[in-house]
Amino acid sequence: MSKSSEVWSVAFETWSAQPAHWREIYDRLSAHGWDRALPWELPETIFWVGEGSSLHAAALAEVLLESQTLWARRPRLSVVCPSADFAARSGRLAGSRHWFVGFSHRGKTAETLRALQEARRKGFSTVWVASKDIDTAPEEAHLTIAAGPLETIEPHTSALSCAIAAASLVIGDANTFDLWRAMTSEFEAEKTLPPAEVQEWLRARTPGWVIGHGPAEWMARELSLKCLELGGALLRSSSSEAFFHGFSQFLPERKDQPLRILHLNFGEDPRDAEWRETYTPNGAKIVSWDLRSGGEREYMLARAIFKVQRAALEATRA
């Protein structure tokens, strides 16, 4: 078996193991008690911070909790930002009513550790979300939330959803436990296969853009990163608004290599109709993937996370 095949096999195994990891996290945090984990006052601000897939985990955990029914302590302002931007984005804020929630699977991301130190210097209440196999938590973290098992190779698959599960179970309310209990019991891998036209688009192995609106933007970023890590096509990612107003204006028109766009959505992208009007006449290959599924919005978001990972795995299957 080649090295790339070995990596793919390990990635698929860890992707498939996610429900078991969710159950372990659920059982562990249920025993601990979600209402005792954060003995702090109501937050003014929560900063969700990370890099790479950890930033995607931070953003999607925030999106998941944004439902009115899932916040245990709803902040006045919730901000997602890359670790390198935290010092500037947090500005002159100081004090324990501002929370820092940092995500780092291995617990060693230098930029995120620096952001954590800056948050502690400012007197923030600090939370650190990392693998349960990390031996030592940074001393600047008031609370460390142990997520799933440590993944030793790239790409990380279960690390993303396990970090989201662990953070949302502690920071969310009791309804969050109902969500992850249902996710664990209802998970069916065969239902996560992407549509045939999406698989065909991803298997083309030529450069393209994966874009999305709102939470689908973070799905787009995760999909493009996983395809790159698995040796698939070079895919760039962007929000649909940023792409429409910026990147697309500078793309060269090549008749031998038409523009390729994979548009992820939850059925609510205001730019949806404009894609075909603007790009189809020029020969662009546009595929839309509606990530909606049955159930409430938060269930759709949770299911979509491993749908896009499955898409990357199927696109790079030998």
Side-chain angles (χ1 to χ4, degrees):
M1 181 182 292
S2 67
K3 182 178 179 180
S4 60
S5 297
E6 290 178 359
V7 168
W8 191 96
S9 297
V10 172
F12 188 81
E13 287 174 9
T14 57
W15 176 85
S16 303
Q18 289 180 82
H21 299 327
W22 301 337
R23 170 58 66 182
E24 187 278 327
I25 294 168
Y26 173 89
D27 289 343
R28 169 162 40 90
L29 294 179
S30 294
H32 179 67
W34 66 273
D35 57 342
R36 300 191 300 275
L38 295 175
W40 304 330
E41 57 189 330
L42 187 71
E44 287 277 340
T45 313
I46 297 181
F47 284 87
W48 304 81
V49 180
E51 293 289 344
S53 265
S54 290
L55 177 60
H56 304 165
L60 291 168
E62 192 273 344
V63 167
L64 196 63
L65 291 177
E66 190 54 34
S67 165
Q68 291 280 357
T69 61
L70 294 180
W71 283 109
R73 299 167 178 84
R74 188 179 182 89
R76 294 179 63 182
L77 179 65
S78 189
V79 180
V80 175
C81 72
S83 305
D85 296 345
F86 171 72
R89 296 285 295 276
S90 57
R92 296 183 179 180
L93 296 177
S96 61
R97 293 197 67 178
H98 303 290
W99 291 12
F100 172 97
V101 185
F103 290 70
S104 176
H105 179 57
R106 293 191 179 100
K108 298 179 179 180
T109 308
E111 287 286 3
T112 311
L113 285 167
R114 280 193 285 269
L116 173 64
Q117 292 164 1
E118 174 68 9
R120 188 62 184 266
R121 186 187 68 80
K122 292 180 174 182
F124 280 32
S125 298
T126 53
V127 180
W128 189 248
V129 185
S131 164
K132 68 177 183 177
D133 298 322
I134 298 298
D135 295 330
T136 305
E139 60 183 15
E140 294 86 358
H142 289 108
L143 173 69
T144 296
I145 302 176
L150 182 66
E151 293 186 53
T152 57
I153 66 164
E154 301 283 357
H156 297 157
T157 49
S158 67
L160 178 81
S161 67
C162 287
I164 295 167
S168 62
L169 284 166
V170 173
I171 299 174
D173 65 8
N175 292 316
T176 317
F177 280 82
D178 295 334
L179 164 65
W180 287 102
R181 182 173 58 246
M183 285 292 297
T184 302
S185 61
E186 296 175 5
F187 180 87
E188 297 180 67
E190 66 272 12
K191 292 186 178 180
T192 64
L193 278 170
E197 62 177 352
V198 172
Q199 294 189 58
E200 180 184 358
W201 190 96
L202 289 169
R203 282 185 172 275
R205 298 297 183 106
T206 53
W209 285 82
V210 188
I211 60 176
H213 172 69
E217 175 190 347
W218 296 104
M219 307 293 177
R221 295 186 184 280
E222 176 66 7
L223 176 56
S224 64
L225 177 60
K226 289 295 172 282
C227 284
L228 179 63
E229 291 173 335
L230 286 163
L234 176 60
L235 303 176
R236 296 184 179 182
S237 57
S238 167
S239 71
S240 55
E241 283 293 328
F243 179 82
F244 191 83
H245 286 294
F247 297 119
S248 63
Q249 308 303 316
F250 302 101
L251 295 174
E253 292 188 12
R254 290 183 52 183
K255 294 182 179 180
D256 61 324
Q257 189 175 326
L259 182 63
R260 300 176 65 247
I261 303 171
L262 176 59
H263 177 215
L264 307 189
N265 64 87
F266 289 94
E268 52 186 22
D269 191 334
R271 291 288 182 190
D272 190 50
E274 295 181 69
W275 296 123
R276 286 147 189 81
E277 295 175 6
T278 304
Y279 297 112
T280 302
N282 295 326
K285 175 63 175 178
I286 304 171
V287 172
S288 289
W289 186 8
D290 189 339
L291 294 167
R292 288 178 294 180
S293 57
E296 299 296 327
R297 179 179 175 82
E298 56 266 26
Y299 286 80
M300 289 193 290
L301 290 170
R303 290 183 179 128
I305 292 165
F306 53 79
K307 280 185 178 181
V308 298
Q309 291 182 341
R310 180 67 182 273
L313 286 162
E314 290 302 314
T316 55
R317 184 191 290 270

